[in-house]
Structures are given as C-alpha cells and as structure tokens.
Amino acid sequence: MTASSAKSKWGRILLVLVILVALGGWLTWWKLFREVPQTLADDSMEEYFKYGSIGTEEQDGIPFWIWLVLPKMFPEYLPSPGGWASLGFAWEQGHDLPVGFSKRTIGFERVGVNCALCHAGTLRKDANGVPAIYLGAPATTADILGYQRFLFRSAADPRFNAANILGEIGQVYDMSLIDRLLYRFVLIPATKKALLKQAEQFAWTNQRPDWGPGRIDPFNPVKARVLKVDVGDTIGNSDMEPIWNLAPRAEKGMALHWDGLNTNLREVVLSSAIGDGTLPKALPVERLVKLEDWLKALPPPRFEERFPIDADLAAAGSEIYQAQCARCHAMDGEKTGQVLTMDDPEWAEAGTDPADDRPANTDAHRAEMWTPEAAEAYNAYAAGYPWKFENFRSTGGYVNVPLDGLWLRAPYLHNGSVPYLSDLLNPPSQRPKVFYRGLDLYDPGRGGFVAEGPDAVSHGWRYDTKVVGNSNQGHLWGTDLAPEQKKALIEYLETL
Amino acid sequence: MTNNEVRTKTRDESLVDNVLASPVDQHLARTRRRLAWGLLWLILLAIVVWLVVRFNCDRPVEYADDQEHFKYGSIGSEPGGSVLDAAGGLLPPRDIFAILPQVCPDKLPGGYASLGLIMEPEHRFPIGVSERFRLGIDQVGLNCSVCHATTLRDNPDSERRIILGAPAHGLDLQKFFRFVLNCTLDERFSADNLIGLMERNGTDLGWFDRILYRYFVIPRTREQTLVLSQRLALIMGDDIPEWGPGRVDTFNPYKGVQFNWPLDRLPLSELIAASDFPSLWNQKPRDGMYLHWDGNNNSVDERNLSASLGAGVTPVTIDHPRLERVRDWIWTLPPPAYPYPIDQAKAEHGKELYASRCAECHADARFKDGVVDAKLIGTVEPIEKIGTDRHRLDSYTFDFAANQYTLYPDSKYRFTHFRKTQGYANQPLDGIWLRAPYLHNGSVPTLRALLDPPEDRPARFYRGNDVYDPKNVGFVSDVAKEGDVSYFLYDTSLPGNGNGGHRYGLELAPEDKDAIVEYMKTF
C-alpha cells in the first residue's frame, strides 16, 4: 500500500464523515430550530391578537401533536368533560385552537399562548347559547391555573410516555417515521422535562388560594421565573383587566395594572409578553408595538348593542355619577389613573359600614405582592436589550381606574370579589359572601355574570370571600345612595 | 511439510502432522458455507418481505356496481393505521364476527337478523357490513347502508323489499353494539373456543394464522373492546331510555369514543339523545342547507365525514375515494316513489292546503326533482317555536362543537362547519312516506298522527315492524308481536321520547288532514 493511496482512503472517509455531520446538522436544524413565519387567516391585527405569536413558543411551546392528544389522555385532570373547552377558553367556529393560543413552527409545530388568552372575554344570553367574543375584555371564564395544572399533572403522570402519546396521535394522524422518531426520542421526553421544571417554578401556587376562572396572579410568576425574586408570603390573585381604549390612558400618563406599578404603556406591553413566557431574545418588539397601537384605538364594547337601555333612567344616573364618581373614574377625572394608597384617608371618608369591622380600603394583598425589590429587579432586567424597563415601582395602593366598558368587566374590584354592579353599591357586609365565578351568562339588570343558581353551582367556581386575598371589603363610595338612585346609577354605568 | 499440513502439539508434547484439505477442497467448503449463509439470508429476507407485504397490504373487497358498493363496500371503518398502533374499527375481525352469535348464543338467539340487520341471499354478512384485508387479516367494518337501508312489506305475508337510502327503521343499533361489546368481553371469547368455532365453520386457518389469532388478534380485539366498552358504558347502559330500533344517539358516543370525555361527569339528561335515522337520498339540493336534526352543519361533505366517524373510521383509516363514491351516488339518488295507489283528487286538495301551511318551511313535492321553493327550508326553527322534545338539541353543546374542530387535524378535511344551534332544522320532505316514525326522535308513528294535537298522538306504540300502513302513512305501530318477533314498545312519557310540539295543521278538519297526507305520498 502506498502512502498516497492510504492518504486518499483517509480522505474519502473524512469526506463521508463531513457529509454525514453536515446532513445531521442540517436535519437537526430543520427539525428543531428552523423558523417558519406564521400564516394567519389574514393580516389584520384582530387575527394577530387572537392567534398570532408573541414569542412564547420558543421557551414554553408544546409540540402540537402532544398538545392535541393530552386532553384525551388525561381527562381526569380537567375541571369537567369537554377537552380544552372545559377550561373556559373563547373558541371561534372552525378553529383548531382556542382564541389566545398560537401555533408556530420552530423546527416543529409548537403551541404557545398570547395576550388574548386572558384578554378576550365571552358573553352569552342563554345558558346553552353560543358565546359572543369580545376582544380586549377580561377572559371571565378562562381558568389559567387550571390549564397549567393540567399540563403539570399530565407530565408527572407515568402514562405521559412515548408509547402512549404516539399511540394516541396514531389514532388521528399518520405521522412520518422521522417525526415519530423525533417525538419518541426528543420531543416527548423534552416536553415532559420542561413541564416538570415549570411545575417546580409554579410550586408556590400550591400553597396559595386558587386563582379560579377569570383571575391570575399576574406578577408572582414573573418574580419566580424571570426575576428570581422570592415570592415570600405574597398573594397577587386578581381579576384579568380589559385592555381596550388605551390611547387616553397613555396620553394622560395613567398608572397601569391594578396597583399602578408602571405608567409607561410600552413597558407594560413588552413586560406582559415576558410574563406570558417569552424570552427577551425572542420578543417580537415591532409586532407588539403595532399591537399596542391597535389596542390604543380598540373601542370598549357597547352594552346597548346587546341589551336595551332606559335612556331616562341613565340620564338620571349620569347626574349621580358626575357628582359621586367622576372625580376618580371619569376619563378626564381629576384623580383618575392615579394611585390611592392604602393609608390614604379618602378610603374612610367614603363612609363606613357599621356592620363590617374590616378597613375601608379594598383587600391589600395584590398591592403588597409587588414589592420594591421586585420593581427594582424588573427595572434592571432589560439591561443589554434595545428596549428599556425603567418605570416599574411599588405603589402600596390601587389605581382609580377609568370605567369604559365597565358592564363587561364583572366581577368587580381588583380581586373580583363582588359579582354584580348592584352588589358593589351595597355596603361590604351586604355583598355576597360566597358566589360562583366562571359563567359568561349575563344578567343585564344587576350588571354582571350570573353568579348563583343551579347552573352557576354546577359549572362555576366557588368564590369564598373569607379566603385570604378574596376579601370583598372596602370601596364604600355610593353605598349610601337611595335604592332608586342606585338603580339609575347602574343604568348609567352600563352605558360607559 | 507442504502448506496444507499443520504441525500440532499433542498433550504429551509429541508432534503430529495433520494433513489438511487441499486448496480446492478449502475453496469448495468456503463456497458451501457462503451458499448456506446466503440462502439463510435470502430466506430471512423473503420472510421479512412477506411479513411487510402482508401487514401493510390494504385490500378492500371491491364492488363494480354502485348499489353493491353502497351495501357492502368499505369506507375504511375496518381497523387500520399501523400494526403497532392500530386505529379505528368497532367490530372484531371478519371470521370472528361471523361466528360471534355462536360464541354467545344466549346473548343473541336469533342471530344478526334479529337485530334488524338486513340479510340478502348469497351474502355472508348483512347489508352495511364491509370486508377489507388490512393489518394482515380479514376485517369487517360498518358502512353507510347499515343505518340507511330498510325493508318494507305490504302485509305480514308478503315479500320484504329492500330500499336503499331509507332510514333503517328496523335496526336496533344499540342492541347490536351491546351484543358485540358484551360477547367480545365474555369469558367464552377465548382463543381455543374461537379458533375451534372458526374451523368448524369452514375457516381454514394455517399454522401462521392460528399463531397470529391466538397471540395477537384475539388479545388485541379484547383489549380494544375493553377500552371501547368503558368509553361507551353509560350510553350502552340502563340509566338512559333505550334507543330502540331505527334510532341512534348521534353525538354522545362521539364524546366518549373520539374525545374520551368522562361521560359520568356530564348531566345524565345530556346523554339522552336518541333520534331517528334520516334518509340519505337526494343530497344535491341539500348542500348549503343546515343538516342534522338540530341543523348544526351546512356542508354535506363534512356531514358525511362526521357520520363516517360514527361507523368506526378515524382520520387515519378512512378511505376517502370510496366514501366519495357513496357521496356521488347519494348526491342524485332519487327518493323511492310511493308504491301504493294515490287518490289524485284528494291529493290535489291536499296540495292547496299544504301550500299555505307547510310549504314555507318544508318545500313541496317538487323537492324530489331538485326544485327548492321554500323560504325557511334548511334553517333552524327556534326550540321555543317548534316545541319538540329538546333532549337531542341539548346533547349537542358548544364545548362539543369546539372539540369537533380538532377532528381530521392538519388536513383539508378538518371540521369547520359545525355550530351550536338553538332549535331544530326545517327538513325537506322528499320520500317522507318512508321516513316514519316522525319528528326527530321518532315519537309520532304516522304522518296522520302528526297532524293531531300532541295529546291525541299515540302515547305508546310499537316500532320496528316493516309492514306498511298506507292509510295513516307510516309503519304499522299497533302490533306488539308477530310470531316469535316482539316489537319495541315506544313510550312517549320517557325522557327524550316526548311527542309534543310541531303544532301545525292541528285545527284542520279530519278530511283536510287526510288530504294533506294524501298529497305528501307524492313527495
């Protein structure tokens, strides 16, 4: 054997190796990392808001075929029969994903969540009817903690394995051999591991009262997962908020979030995507800015389009509103959009409920959850990125919120502790102590979603105001009005 | 020493010279070894190829004639997918299905025909049962005609004639599934018993098939049936009123089988939803109308795909080309003409009454020719107005529709037309004479009775008799027993069986009602 022939033999082997490695690398890239631009039904912002990606798929995206079969494999971990629909997501006719879920291919199809998960509300007039969807409205029925727990419990179940999951996928889809191998050896084990890790990051939720439908703890997940700030004993359970009509809020520099932890809309938009699970490097800033512009102009839904209004009664109510509420709640009110701290004497000046020995301020847990330490950490978080966080702060109070679209924002107060507008105008001791959340059947007379009765008991989630963080105390404004005045005021409030 | 000798040391250290084979011998021996190995590999390869071909082969039994295809052709409802992850199918393999009534004679003394399945001479299986070689064995499945073909007799002594596309008035589908599930899970469903019975019935099982059946097919059939029977337990159980012949609960089995919903956590009333089989003819003018009793879908094709799921197909096992062949055939299949004399003068009088009272919602006799002259046909009449039993409507929920949108995932067939409604759809009435009993739940035995106020409609009657009653237009419904055949007693007081509502034409004089009914014979 000559030296040159030995050389050329090694050369050939090397060449084959290089080709193999290149092929393997290309395949790995193609099957795991290749980014395909999302195609939606159209280019509208509505469509993007409902199904578009805000970047959550990269870190938290669940492989589509696993996501599809999980509810069939573990129905016992869902609140009721009904698959994903049992968690109360808004669902449009003909869509394979509910509103608030995005499907995007990064190597493989992944399912993530977006803003609409918590900010697309539903309403129906009949218990058996088809819910109308209101974009930007609080998602009254969506059980976000229920969704996470379902995923965590499924991942922890020994039946969450390649054989079972591929068997279930095989019932509805003829998967190619290479994808089967990918799922068996990479995606299924990796998904299980990622979900179990997430379960640990959310372990603190197990030591706290449940959120229930329409509520989340908005910032403790950020503290635990993103900022690595100790959650401590804090409880942040609060109602999802509407995100329509943001332009006047931004122009007037109103404080945003229930406790007004930030006054800069851009920071609130970007940090919300991060809170939903988007990695900073995956943040689609340009699209989110466009979304912000769209939300600025999104009008609040009109009550009159669904239910009749007594114009005379509303006119009478308008006068009461101007005298009693406008200063803090009208869009141009003197104190609207500002924070009322817990130690502000105004709470007590609103009156007292002799039958109620609790303080006149609303439940303090949500405000206390966002600590100065957390605010400082979030302000430091954006260092090194082309966007900035510098307006986060801890306020120790709650914002006087504008009331546009108020009729669709039930239950009321930041923790959603008062089911109807009519209850909010009653002194705390007369507000319901226990009621049911999670129905989207509307009661126009009282201004809120049906919260009692057999349907509510069987389909709803029991809200107990005695549970820590759930107190329905405080906000005594308007509780001393005469019954007919209250009726007029409610009629007017529903027109906002 | 030559080079074909070797010197080896023995135990006592003495040297021994051994003469080896000559190079020629060595070469021959090597060649023999190579040949033997080659042959072995070839045999192994042949076995592998044979196994792959056998288990991947998908061979439906074909029928050249469209009608025969409708009756016996496969739409893919036999188990399929891959051998390792079999999908779909509601029936055991062909040769087991054939002997099932002999495995559990106590559970079905009269054989399949006693369930209302239609047997034709020269056929091993009833109408509606298709055959297909798949996953390495002969399988059977159900097709459209099992629920959409009926028999008809002029009187108890006359011949049964078969009419395709008509609602299977006599088929007790619930009893059929109960039997198949129960017998498959019976202790007599053992390999010894089944293989013995199969061979006694003329099935020639080779040694390979015997192994296959004993160790794979029979255990797998039991395993799948166990899952199926758990998912359907409540629907097949005694807590809900029996479907009886001619009826099916369309969507609740779907909740259990396709989606694995824990049905015991649904309100029981939602599981009471038996409704009449519809007719399958004349689909072309129906496209775009809201179909199903509650009008939940306006696409004929999607409705067909959905109904196929009920027959046991899955998105993986469905045979689209063969289903489309059925679709094309029923697209223009004419409704059967009324086979008895019609009093033309009376019908003419009825036509006028019908035009002013019924035509707006139901169209008239011309619908059978594709003329659709009715404002409200194929639209949903609110439940408050129509007032018929609401169980069927309530069984179809918004959450269920949402789940349906995930069916046939990632394909052009994915469901997008289903919707939740608040009433029942106004049906076209082509061939209405053969679509008795009437209303969605089959609670009114004859057309004539439907024109009477609900309190005068029969409170209890018998279903399943295929003798026709031309006077009242419908099947004979007052005969409890004929020979050793007992008919099904339908009780309108049971939940889901209510015969109220549809209060139209009630105030007419009896002879006017007769006239309308006479006219409807021409549909």
Side-chain angles (χ1 to χ4, degrees):
Chain A
M1 199 186 281
T2 64
S4 76
S5 82
K7 224 177 177 174
S8 81
K9 184 183 166 197
W10 284 111
R12 276 203 300 275
I13 291 176
L14 202 66
L15 188 71
V16 169
L17 272 178
V18 166
I19 290 174
L20 278 179
V21 168
L23 264 177
W26 176 81
L27 195 69
T28 308
W29 170 81
W30 181 268
K31 283 290 174 188
L32 293 176
F33 304 108
R34 169 187 52 118
E35 293 208 24
V36 181
Q38 220 188 355
T39 43
L40 298 172
D42 57 53
D43 290 337
S44 67
M45 282 317 289
E46 282 85 356
E47 204 60 20
Y48 175 66
F49 180 69
K50 287 185 284 191
Y51 306 108
S53 166
I54 60 165
T56 58
E57 301 84 3
E58 187 164 327
Q59 181 181 222
D60 291 345
I62 298 173
F64 172 71
W65 293 105
I66 298 180
W67 185 89
L68 187 76
V69 299
L70 277 188
K72 289 184 226 174
M73 293 182 65
F74 302 106
E76 63 272 33
Y77 300 145
L78 288 168
S80 58
W84 289 130
S86 72
L87 289 162
F89 304 131
W91 211 311
E92 288 188 299
Q93 182 181 332
H95 283 264
D96 57 347
L97 300 186
V99 172
F101 286 81
S102 60
K103 187 155 71 167
R104 185 166 157 229
T105 301
I106 307 175
F108 51 94
E109 277 187 315
R110 312 172 184 217
V111 177
V113 299
N114 66 23
C115 314
L117 181 68
C118 299
H119 301 292
T122 57
L123 176 147
R124 48 186 134 190
K125 283 174 153 181
D126 304 294
N128 299 317
V130 178
I133 298 174
Y134 291 97
L135 300 185
T140 330
T141 57
D143 184 353
I144 307 301
L145 190 60
Y147 176 61
Q148 288 181 308
R149 283 195 176 149
F150 170 81
L151 293 175
F152 301 159
R153 283 176 187 158
S154 301
D157 194 299
R159 291 169 296 164
F160 191 108
N161 62 43
N164 285 332
I165 293 175
L166 285 172
E168 200 65 44
I169 293 171
Q171 300 296 311
V172 292
Y173 181 61
D174 194 6
M175 195 179 258
S176 70
L177 180 65
I178 186 152
D179 281 346
R180 268 205 294 256
L181 292 173
L182 184 73
Y183 265 76
R184 178 176 292 273
F185 294 110
V186 183
L187 299 186
I188 293 171
T191 303
K192 186 176 177 103
K193 204 173 145 196
L195 286 174
L196 291 177
K197 184 181 159 208
Q198 235 189 84
E200 268 173 47
Q201 292 173 328
F202 277 90
W204 54 271
T205 57
N206 299 327
Q207 276 92 51
R208 284 165 178 72
D210 284 355
W211 305 350
R215 299 204 312 169
I216 50 165
D217 184 329
F219 284 97
N220 270 331
V222 179
K223 282 155 69 176
R225 283 191 89 189
V226 180
L227 305 176
K228 315 289 180 209
V229 169
D230 186 17
V231 170
D233 296 330
T234 61
I235 296 167
N237 295 358
S238 49
D239 248 33
M240 293 165 189
E241 290 192 86
I243 53 171
W244 49 57
N245 204 19
L246 295 180
R249 289 166 166 85
E251 281 156 23
K252 297 190 170 68
M254 290 187 192
L256 303 164
H257 286 291
W258 286 111
D259 58 342
L261 55 75
N262 200 317
T263 49
N264 182 303
L265 180 58
R266 176 69 41 84
E267 289 187 22
V268 167
V269 168
L270 297 184
S271 61
S272 294
I274 289 170
D276 288 347
T278 300
L279 293 171
K281 64 178 164 75
L283 201 60
V285 178
E286 231 174 275
R287 304 214 65 177
L288 290 173
V289 169
K290 275 194 196 148
L291 183 66
E292 179 188 311
D293 288 340
W294 179 74
L295 289 170
K296 276 180 170 174
L298 180 68
R302 311 291 307 171
F303 181 88
E304 302 92 294
E305 284 171 14
R306 291 303 296 259
F307 305 101
I309 277 282
D310 181 336
D312 295 337
L313 194 61
S318 169
E319 283 171 32
I320 303 166
Y321 174 82
Q322 296 306 337
Q324 304 257 352
C325 321
R327 179 169 159 263
C328 292
H329 288 303
M331 203 52 96
D332 54 359
E334 177 200 330
K335 305 207 76 173
T336 308
Q338 295 177 21
V339 173
L340 190 66
T341 54
M342 287 305 164
D343 52 11
D344 199 304
E346 279 211 32
W347 292 104
E349 286 161 20
T352 48
D353 178 2
D356 196 67
D357 55 2
R358 297 173 295 181
N361 56 279
T362 50
D363 187 287
H365 285 87
R366 167 65 187 82
E368 288 166 358
M369 177 269 290
W370 190 243
T371 56
E373 185 197 5
E376 199 181 312
Y378 224 168
N379 281 332
Y381 183 73
Y385 292 102
W387 32 275
K388 280 192 224 142
F389 286 164
E390 48 193 16
N391 291 292
F392 280 98
R393 57 182 185 164
S394 174
T395 65
Y398 292 112
V399 177
N400 302 319
V401 291
L403 303 187
D404 46 348
L406 183 70
W407 66 282
L408 206 52
R409 291 159 63 175
Y412 297 99
L413 295 184
H414 72 272
N415 55 357
S417 55
V418 183
Y420 302 102
L421 280 177
S422 57
D423 290 323
L424 189 60
L425 293 178
N426 282 336
S429 63
Q430 291 170 35
R431 296 172 185 166
K433 291 177 177 56
V434 170
F435 62 96
Y436 293 84
R437 291 185 59 119
L439 268 69
D440 53 10
L441 183 62
Y442 200 74
D443 181 341
R446 291 190 282 176
F449 297 101
V450 170
E452 70 285 293
D455 267 359
V457 173
S458 61
H459 295 110
W461 178 78
R462 188 176 185 273
Y463 186 101
D464 186 344
T465 56
K466 282 204 292 293
V467 168
V468 60
N470 284 2
S471 171
N472 60 357
Q473 73 194 56
H475 197 284
L476 282 99
W477 291 277
T479 56
D480 52 356
L481 293 169
E484 62 277 16
Q485 285 179 303
K486 287 180 182 174
K487 201 160 174 264
L489 181 57
I490 291 169
E491 196 74 7
Y492 177 71
L493 288 172
E494 288 181 335
T495 67
L496 290 174
Chain B
M1 207 167 83
T2 60
N3 61 0
N4 61 333
E5 288 172 77
V6 290
R7 180 164 290 175
T8 49
K9 253 183 190 165
T10 59
R11 212 176 281 167
D12 59 356
E13 298 285 301
S14 64
L15 289 175
V16 176
D17 289 340
N18 294 340
V19 179
L20 293 183
S22 71
V24 175
D25 288 344
Q26 280 181 349
H27 180 76
L28 279 177
R30 252 197 326 267
T31 310
R32 268 200 303 276
R33 270 202 308 278
R34 278 183 188 160
L35 268 176
W37 276 110
L39 204 65
L40 195 67
W41 281 115
L42 219 65
I43 291 170
L44 273 175
L45 188 73
I47 290 174
V48 169
V49 168
W50 181 76
L51 283 174
V52 167
V53 168
R54 167 149 184 175
F55 287 99
N56 278 300
C57 176
D58 185 357
R59 203 173 49 230
V61 175
E62 300 275 13
Y63 298 89
D65 179 66
D66 283 343
Q67 285 198 29
E68 291 299 301
H69 176 66
F70 178 72
K71 287 191 282 188
Y72 300 107
S74 169
I75 57 168
S77 62
E78 302 82 0
S82 77
V83 179
L84 300 176
D85 283 325
L90 298 168
L91 305 181
R94 184 190 73 185
D95 296 325
I96 296 180
F97 179 73
I99 55 155
L100 217 49
Q102 288 162 265
V103 177
C104 311
D106 52 324
K107 294 184 198 291
L108 194 65
Y112 288 128
S114 70
L115 297 167
L117 288 160
I118 305 168
M119 299 293 305
E120 284 191 301
E122 313 286 305
H123 281 275
R124 186 178 179 196
F125 296 110
I127 290 178
V129 175
S130 60
E131 295 176 52
R132 189 177 193 118
F133 184 87
R134 193 141 80 170
L135 301 184
I137 52 169
D138 288 306
Q139 311 267 10
V140 281
L142 299 176
N143 67 22
C144 313
S145 65
V146 70
C147 299
H148 302 288
T150 196
T151 55
L152 175 73
R153 283 181 295 165
D154 302 336
N155 58 63
D157 302 319
S158 58
E159 283 273 298
R160 285 196 156 86
R161 82 184 90 152
I162 296 168
I163 301 172
L164 301 182
H169 161 73
L171 167 66
D172 196 328
L173 196 62
Q174 188 185 36
K175 261 194 188 157
F176 174 69
F177 282 130
R178 274 182 187 160
F179 167 73
V180 172
L181 295 173
N182 290 342
C183 186
T184 307
L185 299 178
D186 193 280
E187 61 182 12
R188 287 167 288 182
F189 195 91
S190 64
D192 284 337
N193 195 20
L194 290 173
I195 291 172
L197 271 169
M198 278 154 76
E199 289 182 336
R200 249 172 284 152
N201 277 271
T203 306
D204 188 19
L205 289 178
W207 64 270
F208 182 78
D209 284 333
R210 272 202 300 275
I211 293 174
L212 196 64
Y213 269 84
R214 181 176 294 274
Y215 296 106
F216 298 96
V217 175
I218 292 169
R220 194 180 69 199
T221 303
R222 281 186 80 113
E223 212 173 286
Q224 284 175 337
T225 307
L226 200 59
V227 172
L228 204 59
S229 81
Q230 277 166 357
R231 291 189 179 187
L232 291 173
L234 266 178
I235 296 168
M236 292 296 149
D238 298 326
D239 292 336
I240 54 166
E242 278 186 276
W243 299 353
R247 301 202 307 168
V248 63
D249 181 341
T250 314
F251 293 105
N252 280 316
Y254 222 118
K255 295 175 188 169
V257 175
Q258 311 291 339
F259 301 133
N260 194 20
W261 288 12
L263 298 182
D264 54 346
R265 288 164 67 194
L266 287 174
L268 190 65
S269 64
E270 195 180 310
L271 299 177
I272 300 170
S275 46
D276 259 32
F277 295 125
S279 59
L280 219 56
W281 46 65
N282 208 14
Q283 292 299 305
K284 189 178 173 191
R286 286 176 162 81
D287 201 31
M289 290 186 186
Y290 279 100
L291 308 167
H292 283 141
W293 289 110
D294 59 345
N296 62 23
N297 200 312
N298 63 348
S299 155
V300 166
D301 288 330
E302 200 165 298
R303 194 273 323 269
N304 291 347
L305 285 174
S306 177
S308 303
L309 291 174
V313 311
T314 74
V316 176
T317 62
I318 190 164
D319 187 334
H320 287 291
R322 284 178 183 76
L323 179 65
E324 267 161 43
R325 199 174 155 200
V326 173
R327 172 219 188 261
D328 292 344
W329 186 68
I330 60 175
W331 195 247
T332 52
L333 174 70
Y338 187 73
Y340 309 107
I342 297 174
D343 180 336
Q344 292 300 337
K346 204 165 151 190
E348 205 51 40
H349 174 52
K351 186 178 175 182
E352 285 162 33
L353 293 165
Y354 182 93
S356 62
R357 290 165 190 277
C358 319
E360 191 185 20
C361 291
H362 289 301
D364 56 26
R366 293 170 297 156
F367 187 89
K368 65 174 181 286
D369 306 317
V371 181
V372 187
D373 183 17
K375 253 200 341 248
L376 297 173
I377 195 163
T379 65
V380 170
E381 199 68 12
I383 185 72
E384 299 78 26
K385 274 181 79 183
I386 191 75
T388 46
D389 190 288
R390 66 174 298 148
H391 282 83
R392 164 65 187 80
L393 172 64
D394 291 341
S395 76
Y396 189 90
T397 59
F398 177 76
D399 281 3
F400 179 68
N403 277 264
Q404 282 185 300
Y405 305 140
T406 68
L407 286 168
Y408 293 90
D410 245 29
S411 76
K412 64 174 178 176
Y413 302 107
R414 194 174 61 75
F415 289 172
T416 56
H417 291 74
F418 276 102
R419 58 172 199 161
K420 168 67 188 159
T421 71
Q422 299 299 328
Y424 291 110
N426 296 317
Q427 304 283 340
L429 302 184
D430 47 347
I432 192 66
W433 68 273
L434 198 54
R435 290 159 63 181
Y438 298 98
L439 295 184
H440 71 273
N441 55 357
S443 56
V444 183
T446 63
L447 269 188
R448 185 59 182 78
L450 188 60
L451 292 175
D452 286 334
E455 52 278 18
D456 296 339
R457 297 170 185 167
R460 286 146 70 91
F461 61 92
Y462 294 93
R463 289 186 62 125
N465 193 338
D466 61 357
V467 175
Y468 204 73
D469 170 6
K471 182 170 175 287
N472 297 304
V473 183
F475 294 99
V476 168
S477 61
D478 55 359
V479 174
K481 221 169 172 262
E482 183 185 335
D484 51 0
V485 178
S486 293
Y487 294 114
F488 177 81
L489 179 64
Y490 185 100
D491 185 347
T492 57
S493 69
L494 292 175
N497 286 3
N499 63 353
H502 197 280
R503 306 174 64 94
Y504 302 101
L506 307 184
E507 77 294 351
L508 289 170
E511 56 278 16
D512 287 343
K513 292 179 181 177
D514 291 343
I516 288 186
V517 167
E518 198 68 17
Y519 171 58
M520 289 173 78
K521 291 175 179 175
T522 69
F523 280 35

